[in-house]
Each structure stands twice: as structure tokens, then as C-alpha cells.
Amino acid sequence: MLNKLKEFHNNHRSAIYSLFQQLLQKESEGSPFLLRSDIQKLYNDFLDSEQGAQLNKSIMSELFSSAQEISRSEPWIYLAARVAIGKFRYFRIHSEEVEIDEIDVTDYLEFKERLVGYTPPTDEFLLELDMTPFNRDFPKLQEPRSIGKGVEFLNRQLSSKLFVEASDGDRMMLNFLRVHQHRGTQLMLNGMVDDVDSLQTALRKGVRYLNQVDADAEWEDVHATLASYGFQPGWGRKVEDILAMFHMLMDILEAPDPTILEQFLGRIPMIFSIVIVSPHGFFGQENVLGLPDTGGQVVYILDQVRALEKEMKEQIYHQGLDIEPNIVVLTRLIPDSHGTSCNQREEQIAGTSGSVILRVPFRNEGGEVLNQWISRFKIWPYLERFSRESERKLLSYLGARPDLIIGNYSDGNLVSFLLSRRMKVTQCIIAHALEKAKYLFSGLYWKENPEYNFQTQFTADLVSMNAADFIISSTYQEIAGTEDSIGQYESYSSFTMPALYRVINGINIYDPKFNIVSPGADERVYFPYYEKERRLTETHDELNELIFGTATEFSRGVLHDREKPLIFTMARLDKVKNITGLVAAYAQSPRLREQANLLVVAGSVDQNDSADAEERYQIETMHRLFEQYGLDQQVRWLGKHLQKNKAGELYRYVADHRGVFVQPALFEAFGLTVIEAMVTGLPIFATMYGGPLEIIQNGKNGFHIDPNNNAELADKLADFFERVHKEPQYWDKLSRAAIDRVQEKYTWSLYAKRLLTLSRVYGFWKYVSNLEREETRRYLEMFHGLMFRNLAAETH
């Protein structure tokens, strides 16, 4: 590309000079940085000029079409080009000399640092984090379309190397099968099978024997004979299950196939106890949603636990074992619990038989328990002490180390790293939402935003992401974005925090540790509005009062025209969720206000009820919008957090009134409320930034909206209601398509099966290969000890 650029600009210097001057124009009046949308608009405007026409469909257009960011300070222009998903090249341009050179990422980041006023002392260098050397020899995906399919790639790559090239796979598989046991009971193989030949002999004997056994026989009926061949429990409960396992293993030893290998590993009895870590916010089952730092993540985890326990029970049963699975949600104990159960040390999880919430307090340096809630931005100094005490509590509660640890969000992921490191357990992390993608230039301006402690959080993210055995993402976009936008994880590939450190290669989204496993909606609570026999009709009077009743201490607005359909939204009241943006869009559209009412369930109506500064600001903004646009007869705002069953029925109640659901977030990693609303039958309008872009097939089962364009958002809603008024069946068509989409693609049953399979596959490859990445782990321990601990200690 560089040679073509140089050749082109030699022949079009005048036009390119004009372009560069426009890029530098008014720099002093605004930010020295231009982002992709600004770059595209500026370049397209230039193409419309007489000089700009020379650049149309040129190599210069190719460069600018891939430009993700421009940093400028006359006469210099530095450009970051995203030439492919996860692939960047960097260019330096001298506007006066009209010279273009390619530079490395360090030069680019150094220039950005200077633009925000940081220049390192001449005798010092800034720490640079580069994970490349640790991953140089490790297999990587090549195609962007393969991102998020790590386990399939890993099986193809490593099974070939292990079983064919190294010719050592048979022995490693034998050793792997021999290590499985539960509480002192040996599983899979006993001492009679001591080499690969004896394993193959035992398998042949087993198949011949089982082919002569009654088809209805179970393990108890055949165990004596199979034990004499060398087999222990765990192969299956029924003869057909045992035979299937024997045949798969014989195929693997004969000629390994990645698909069969995954199926075989997915049935091995390896997972009996799971720890799920989520320290921040108020983690409980009732009356917690809407409290600070507490939202969809809690719902996600509780639904995840129920699905995992159900699937584990079913799998353990089919493995022929009588073992009760254990799932522990590890969270923080908060003595001042705001009327919730967050001050209870143990709490049974409803809808499960053996899963619990285990709460451990935060302690200060003197060992004293902290009574108050602490913001997720300020909990970093307490996490190491929390992890050490949690380890003791977990071992005491479970009686042994767990088989899998799952971290949630940045703080939970760091704790999962600390626990898995000491307990030597497979570690999975789930981001849910990475703050770096939410706050523009958050790394670059970390010093200007001390209340967020971005420097500590991003350091924790880098440690846990690189240490994790595998990473679960709800959507492809969460990892890799789109052709035009950077993914959440991708944003950690390179960035700088001036005066602290530079990240040259922090995370590689082509690493096979990334896997897409989408969650679902709780089928007990969220089901189609037309399933009348399951409806909670006893709540309808209460819901009617909530929506159409008089003003109360937890509401504002009384809907004047009850015949209008409802535009419904429900979320936390913070900047990113953009609820006030939706209210503003509605308020500014006379056409939309004429056609529909707006129902908002978010936050609190009284600023004094919130301890969160951001939420208080949003509450103030909501009241200001009501006053400015006279919304009290068309908008109903409920500052009330509904229990799940009532929330599910509220979706259906809105569907009864031919309403819609809007999710207007500036960014949404996944969007649980989106699939909850869809499966109840509500037509959906949801943000185009994040997970909903994949969940919704635009125009078919919902609509994508730009949360930054209020006029367009209001027009899309108004157009929809006008069409429904003319074609009532159009609402039914969108409703049915939304239900079908969720039932086919987003269920907790599918999620649980996939997550358990992943944990077994990664556990296998850790055992038999260098997937352990011990050298990486040691480096991360050093980075954690020297960088994270100091930053956490300085948290304020």
C-alpha cells in the first residue's frame, strides 16, 4: 500500500495537499483527534469538490476508507488504518511536504501522548506491554469470519499436531482418561489399562460384550464385566451411551476427527462443581435491580446457574453417575444491604436444588469488614484480600477445589484469575461490558477522569483476558466489531495510558480462546403473549394501575389517552443506556407523540433515592425533559424495579396493547432485555451498536436504530405505527418473527450445553499441550504484582 500511495501522491500532489490542509483546518478549535465518522464525512465532502474528484476510487480513497482514527498537530497528521478486522497499519503524513511514511504502533501512540501533553523524560522510557512473543508459536485463526469459533479451530489444529505429527496423542489421551475421579472414586479407567495397546484391546472386548447385551441394560448391569476389562463408571448410563463412547474413542485412536473429538470430550465426566464470580454491585434474587452497579448481569448469572445446573444433572445422569452438581455464585457480602439479602452469607438460588450464593465481605488493610456498598470503579484495593478469603470459604464449602471458575465483568474476571492461578482450575471469563468501549479516549485521558480509575480497570482486563483459558462472548461484535467499527475486545489490541504504559499488543482477537455463546431468556418467565394459559392474569389490575394510574411517589406522568399503543423501554438510568435520549427523541417528534404513548421503567423518580452521581444527573435530565416539552400526559415514568415475573407479564401486557419495545443504548454488549421482549412478542427497535445488531435481522424481526440520531429514531417509530394503522397484520408479522428468532437461536439450554463442552475441550488441551501457557502466566503475574497492585493501592 505504501508504495502505491507514494506513487499516487507524486502525480496528485496539489489535490492531496488540499486534502491534508482540510484535515488540519480548525484543529485548534476542537479535538486533535478525528474518529471514523468524522473522517468519512470530511473525506466524502472533499471528494465532492473539483480537486477531490481526482482522488475518487484511488489508493487514497482506499486508505481513508480504512481510517479508524486521525491524530493531528500541524504540520503532522498521523493515521491509524484498520485494513481488516483486528489488523492495523499506521501512517505519518507531513502536510506541507506532502510526504507519507508507514510507522509502527509505538510511534503512533507516542504522537498521541504528545497531543495530550505528555512527553517522557529524555532519560526514561515508558513501559510497553507486548504479548506477541508469548503467542508467536501458538496457532492463530486467519479469517475474520472464524473469530469467536476458537474451539473448532483448536480441535482441528491441535488434534492434527498431537495425533499425527507428534504421534503422541494416543498416550496423552490415555493419561487424560486416567486422571478423572470424584471425591476419591476413580472414573473412566482403572489400573488394568496401563498403555495404549491395552486400552484398544479393552475397547474391542467391551464392544463385543455390549453388542450381546440387552439393549435396555444399564451400567449397573454390565459394570462387573466392563471393570474386568479396565473400565470405571463415567462412560454412560445405558448400553447405547457406553457403546457410543467406545466407538468414538476407537475412531479417535484410529484416525482423529476434530468433530468426533469434541463430541467425545463433551461427554467426559469432568465438571461437577462450578464457581461463578461476580463481586460488584448488589447480588441477590429480589429487590436489587436498579441499585447502583446492579442490572442485567445479575439476571444473566442467575439464569445461567439454573440452566447449567439442569444441564449438569442431565449430563451426569447420562454419564451413569449419581452425583449432585454444585454451583456457587461468589459475590460480596454487604452488611448495609439496603433491605436486600446481600448481608446473608449463604442463600439458596430459587429454581435450583443445590446452587447457592456465597457472600464474602470486603475488608480493609486492618481486616475490618466494610459495611457500605462501594462503586465498581473503586473496589480494586479489596479484590486480592477478597480472593484469598474466598478461596478458603470455597474449599470449606465444596470440600475440594472446583472444576471450573467463571469470572464476570472486569472485577470478577480478575478474582477468577487469582483463584484459578492458586487453585489450578480452568478459567473462563465473560466481560458483559468493557468500560473502555463505553468511554471515548478513556485510556488516553485516564488522568482527567480519576473517579473512574480506568488505569486500574484496564490493567485488570489485560491480565484476566490474557490469563483466561477461554473467553465467552455473547456476540461476534463484542469481540471484533463490524467492518466499520472496532469490537470491545479488539479495542485492547493497542492503546496508551500516558505516563503509565503503552499497550503494543494487548489482546489478539484471532486467539482461539474466544468463543461465542449467546445467552437466552428465562423460559419460565418470558414466553409469548398469546399463551393465555400461562399468563399471570392476577397481576393485570396491578399492571394497569402502574401504567395508567395516578401519579405516586415512584412515578411521574399520567397517560391521558389510554387507547394509544405503548412505546416501552426498561433499563438502568445511566448515560450509556440512553433512556433520556429516547425520551428526548419522543418529546421532539409531534408525529410520534400523536400516535403513541411512552412508558419508561428506569431508575428512581427522586434524586435523593440514588447514591450514584451519574444516575442523579439522569434523573435531573428526565425531569427537565418533562418540564421543557410538557410530557406529563403522554409519558409514564416508573421509578420502580419489578420482579422478574411481573416484568415478563408487563412485556406481554404491552403486547396486548399492540405496543413496541425500544432499547436505545449508546452501546449494548448483548441485550438481554431485547431477547426477553422479543420472545414475548413485542416488535423491537434496538441500538445498532453492539449485540442487538446481530440479534435483530433488520426489517424482518425488528429494527436497528441509531441512538445518536433522535430524529431518525422518532421517524422509524412513527413510520411503524402508521403502517400498523393501515396494515394491522404487519404488527403480527413482526411479532411472530421476533418470537421465532429467539426460540431458534437464543435459549439457555443451548448456552449451557455449549459452555460445558467448551470447559471440557479446553481442559483437555490444557492437559495434553502447551495450552497451559505457563510462560504467559508468569509474565502476567509479574505485571499484576508490579503494576496492578500499585494502581489498586492508589484508588480513590
Side-chain angles (χ1 to χ4, degrees):
M1 175 184 271
L2 183 60
N3 290 335
K4 288 182 179 180
L5 280 170
K6 289 191 172 187
E7 180 182 346
F8 182 81
H9 85 62
N10 285 335
N11 298 320
H12 301 84
R13 289 179 67 87
S14 178
I16 294 173
Y17 176 83
S18 297
L19 170 64
F20 293 165
Q21 292 306 308
Q22 287 204 22
L23 284 173
L24 290 169
Q25 242 178 20
K26 298 184 179 180
E27 172 209 332
S28 59
E29 298 176 15
S31 169
F33 307 105
L34 291 173
L35 294 179
R36 180 172 177 79
S37 57
D38 302 315
I39 298 168
Q40 298 304 306
K41 183 178 186 309
L42 189 151
Y43 187 74
N44 289 332
D45 288 347
F46 182 75
L47 289 179
D48 290 337
S49 69
E50 185 176 339
Q51 280 190 311
Q54 302 176 43
L55 308 185
N56 194 31
K57 296 183 180 179
S58 68
I59 186 66
M60 191 62 66
S61 289
E62 185 180 330
L63 174 65
F64 274 81
S65 70
S66 65
Q68 197 69 39
E69 180 184 77
I70 283 178
S71 306
R72 54 198 177 149
S73 178
E74 195 169 2
W76 293 106
I77 299 169
Y78 281 53
L79 185 146
R82 187 175 180 249
V83 295
I85 289 174
K87 308 287 186 182
F88 282 81
R89 295 175 70 176
Y90 302 91
F91 298 89
R92 177 176 59 200
I93 298 166
H94 194 288
S95 62
E96 292 296 330
E97 300 295 331
V98 198
E99 289 292 333
I100 303 176
D101 294 297
E102 188 164 2
I103 57 176
D104 63 25
V105 62
T106 296
D107 291 333
Y108 182 77
L109 295 177
E110 283 181 345
F111 184 72
K112 290 179 68 174
E113 292 162 6
R114 291 197 296 273
L115 293 185
V116 297
Y118 173 73
T119 304
T122 55
D123 60 341
E124 294 184 15
F125 62 89
L126 195 65
L127 173 66
E128 292 187 344
L129 182 73
D130 186 357
M131 301 302 296
T132 305
F134 298 102
N135 300 317
R136 186 173 288 128
D137 299 324
F138 199 80
K140 295 288 188 301
L141 292 84
Q142 299 298 318
E143 298 297 328
R145 64 185 176 85
S146 298
I147 293 171
K149 301 175 182 177
V151 78
E152 293 97 324
F153 172 83
L154 203 63
N155 273 341
R156 289 196 304 271
Q157 288 286 316
L158 297 187
S159 61
S160 174
K161 289 181 180 295
L162 186 67
F163 288 93
V164 180
E165 296 175 23
S167 301
D168 202 27
D170 296 352
R171 182 181 61 83
M172 296 301 290
M173 175 61 80
L174 169 64
N175 292 340
F176 179 71
L177 293 174
R178 293 173 65 181
V179 300
H180 294 295
Q181 57 88 33
H182 180 264
R183 305 294 173 89
T185 300
Q186 182 63 36
L187 304 176
M188 304 306 288
L189 297 175
N190 60 37
M192 296 186 63
V193 178
D194 56 5
D195 58 28
V196 175
D197 288 340
S198 61
L199 173 60
Q200 292 176 314
T201 299
L203 287 168
R204 295 186 195 103
K205 287 182 179 178
V207 169
R208 281 196 299 270
Y209 167 65
L210 293 175
N211 280 333
Q212 301 172 13
V213 172
D214 191 307
D216 295 327
E218 296 190 357
W219 173 262
E220 288 301 315
D221 303 313
V222 299
H223 82 278
T225 302
L226 291 180
S228 70
Y229 299 156
F231 297 110
Q232 292 291 115
W235 293 93
R237 181 168 298 272
K238 294 183 176 297
V239 165
E240 62 179 345
D241 297 324
I242 303 169
L243 270 171
M245 285 288 280
F246 283 2
H247 284 141
M248 281 190 282
L249 182 54
M250 292 171 79
D251 289 342
I252 291 167
L253 297 176
E254 178 74 19
D257 174 88
T259 303
I260 294 176
L261 179 62
E262 182 178 320
Q263 292 173 356
F264 178 74
L265 294 173
R267 293 192 184 191
I268 291 181
M270 295 169 58
I271 310 295
F272 303 106
S273 62
I274 299 175
V275 172
I276 300 173
V277 188
S278 181
H280 78 252
F282 291 79
F283 197 102
Q285 301 179 78
E286 301 288 344
N287 306 318
V288 297
L289 297 183
L291 291 176
D293 293 340
T294 309
Q297 177 191 333
V298 173
V299 177
Y300 177 108
I301 293 173
L302 290 173
D303 287 345
Q304 176 194 48
V305 168
R306 296 184 185 101
L308 283 172
E309 186 191 82
K310 181 180 179 182
E311 184 62 27
M312 288 169 72
K313 283 188 169 187
E314 187 172 327
Q315 290 187 5
I316 292 170
Y317 174 83
H318 286 296
Q319 288 160 356
L321 304 174
D322 297 313
I323 296 171
E324 278 296 314
N326 293 112
I327 301 179
V328 176
V329 176
L330 175 65
T331 189
R332 181 195 167 195
L333 183 141
I334 308 175
D336 189 357
S337 62
H338 290 231
T340 71
S341 61
C342 296
N343 58 353
Q344 297 177 17
R345 294 189 177 273
E346 291 183 22
E347 181 181 355
Q348 179 80 23
I349 295 176
T352 72
S353 60
S355 299
V356 300
I357 301 169
L358 180 65
R359 299 187 178 92
V360 176
F362 284 173
R363 298 181 186 272
N364 61 24
E365 291 181 359
E368 299 169 316
V369 171
L370 301 180
N371 292 318
Q372 306 295 324
W373 161 83
I374 297 173
S375 163
R376 70 183 188 275
F377 295 113
K378 300 183 186 300
I379 66 175
W380 307 107
Y382 311 104
L383 294 182
E384 284 211 64
R385 286 189 291 274
F386 173 81
S387 73
R388 288 193 291 270
E389 184 172 351
S390 296
E391 181 183 4
R392 295 191 295 271
K393 299 285 187 183
L394 288 168
L395 290 173
S396 173
Y397 180 83
L398 294 172
R401 66 181 186 175
D403 301 308
L404 175 67
I405 296 177
I406 303 173
N408 292 270
Y409 198 74
S410 299
D411 44 71
N413 291 339
L414 183 77
V415 173
S416 74
F417 157 70
L418 296 170
L419 289 171
S420 64
R421 166 178 160 265
R422 290 196 296 265
M423 302 172 83
K424 300 190 183 305
V425 175
T426 300
Q427 176 199 5
C428 165
I429 68 169
I430 307 173
H432 294 286
L434 291 163
E435 304 289 349
K436 192 172 182 302
K438 290 184 184 179
Y439 297 90
L440 197 60
F441 298 121
S442 47
L444 198 59
Y445 292 106
W446 68 273
K447 282 191 173 183
E448 282 73 24
N449 297 282
E451 69 276 17
Y452 291 113
N453 291 291
F454 288 133
Q455 69 280 13
T456 317
Q457 182 165 6
F458 298 168
T459 303
D461 288 334
L462 287 166
V463 170
S464 60
M465 287 176 193
N466 283 289
D469 296 304
F470 65 103
I471 298 174
I472 291 299
S473 168
S474 298
T475 63
Y476 178 93
Q477 287 184 75
E478 192 177 342
I479 308 169
T482 66
E483 292 290 341
D484 298 323
S485 63
I486 293 177
Q488 286 190 68
Y489 282 101
E490 187 184 3
S491 71
Y492 282 79
S493 59
S494 62
F495 63 97
T496 181
M497 289 189 283
L500 196 58
Y501 60 85
R502 295 185 197 105
V503 177
I504 305 304
N505 181 8
I507 193 73
N508 187 340
I509 60 173
Y510 289 87
D511 192 306
K513 69 172 58 181
F514 285 100
N515 293 273
I516 299 168
V517 186
S518 300
D522 187 340
E523 297 171 3
R524 303 168 308 160
V525 176
Y526 304 104
F527 52 85
Y529 71 97
Y530 50 72
E531 294 186 10
K532 302 296 185 182
E533 70 283 356
R534 299 177 64 190
R535 294 285 298 270
L536 304 178
T537 53
E538 65 274 14
T539 66
H540 285 195
D541 288 343
E542 181 183 352
L543 293 177
N544 187 71
E545 182 64 25
L546 284 172
I547 299 170
F548 299 111
T550 58
T552 66
E553 61 182 353
F554 56 81
S555 69
R556 178 165 183 179
V558 178
L559 300 179
H560 178 70
D561 186 348
R562 296 189 177 197
E563 298 305 313
K564 291 181 180 178
L566 292 167
I567 301 167
F568 175 37
T569 191
M570 180 166 59
R572 294 194 312 275
L573 198 56
D574 62 27
K575 179 180 178 181
V576 173
K577 294 300 183 183
N578 194 37
I579 298 299
T580 54
L582 171 61
V583 175
Y586 176 85
Q588 295 160 5
S589 174
R591 187 163 70 107
L592 184 57
R593 292 175 67 169
E594 179 67 27
Q595 296 179 79
N597 292 321
L598 177 59
L599 172 63
V600 177
V601 179
S604 173
V605 176
D606 188 345
Q607 282 181 291
N608 296 321
D609 291 339
S610 176
D612 185 278
E614 188 173 298
E615 184 180 39
R616 288 198 300 272
Y617 178 78
Q618 294 297 314
I619 293 170
E620 179 186 342
T621 303
M622 284 281 282
H623 284 295
R624 187 167 62 248
L625 289 169
F626 267 79
E627 298 295 337
Q628 181 178 353
Y629 293 99
L631 299 176
D632 280 292
Q633 292 188 344
Q634 294 175 301
V635 179
R636 177 72 162 178
W637 172 22
L638 296 176
K640 186 179 179 66
H641 303 284
L642 304 178
Q643 296 177 352
K644 279 179 62 173
N645 284 328
K646 287 182 182 176
E649 192 60 29
L650 178 56
Y651 285 124
R652 291 184 288 272
Y653 195 83
V654 174
D656 291 337
H657 290 75
R658 314 283 280 184
V660 301
F661 184 81
V662 181
Q663 205 271 37
L666 299 177
F667 181 85
E668 185 63 56
F670 180 64
L672 273 176
T673 56
V674 171
I675 61 171
E676 289 169 357
M678 287 176 74
V679 80
T680 61
L682 281 173
I684 301 294
F685 295 74
T687 181
M688 62 192 297
Y689 299 115
L693 190 64
E694 291 178 39
I695 298 171
I696 295 169
Q697 297 163 305
N698 192 43
K700 181 179 179 180
N701 46 42
F703 300 92
H704 300 147
I705 59 173
D706 183 351
N708 301 301
N709 190 329
N710 284 353
E712 180 183 280
L713 166 57
D715 285 344
K716 279 192 175 184
L717 285 162
D719 290 345
F720 174 81
F721 284 115
E722 285 181 358
R723 182 169 177 181
V724 169
H725 183 72
K726 297 174 183 175
E727 307 172 39
Q729 68 275 17
Y730 184 60
W731 188 96
D732 298 292
K733 177 183 176 182
L734 266 291
S735 172
R736 183 68 253 182
I739 293 168
D740 290 345
R741 175 69 170 170
V742 175
Q743 291 179 341
E744 291 169 7
K745 189 86 174 170
Y746 301 100
T747 72
W748 280 112
S749 176
L750 292 172
Y751 175 99
K753 285 181 173 68
R754 192 61 181 155
L755 179 55
L756 292 172
T757 295
L758 289 174
S759 64
R760 294 184 178 103
V761 174
Y762 280 94
F764 170 74
W765 288 119
K766 271 184 73 173
Y767 180 83
V768 303
S769 74
N770 189 36
L771 196 59
E772 183 71 43
R773 305 192 202 188
E774 183 60 26
E775 65 282 2
T776 306
R777 187 174 291 270
R778 299 298 293 173
Y779 179 76
L780 293 170
E781 287 172 357
M782 180 185 68
F783 186 62
H784 169 265
L786 296 179
M787 183 60 69
F788 175 82
R789 280 178 177 160
N790 288 335
L791 293 173
E794 296 168 0
T795 298
H796 52 82

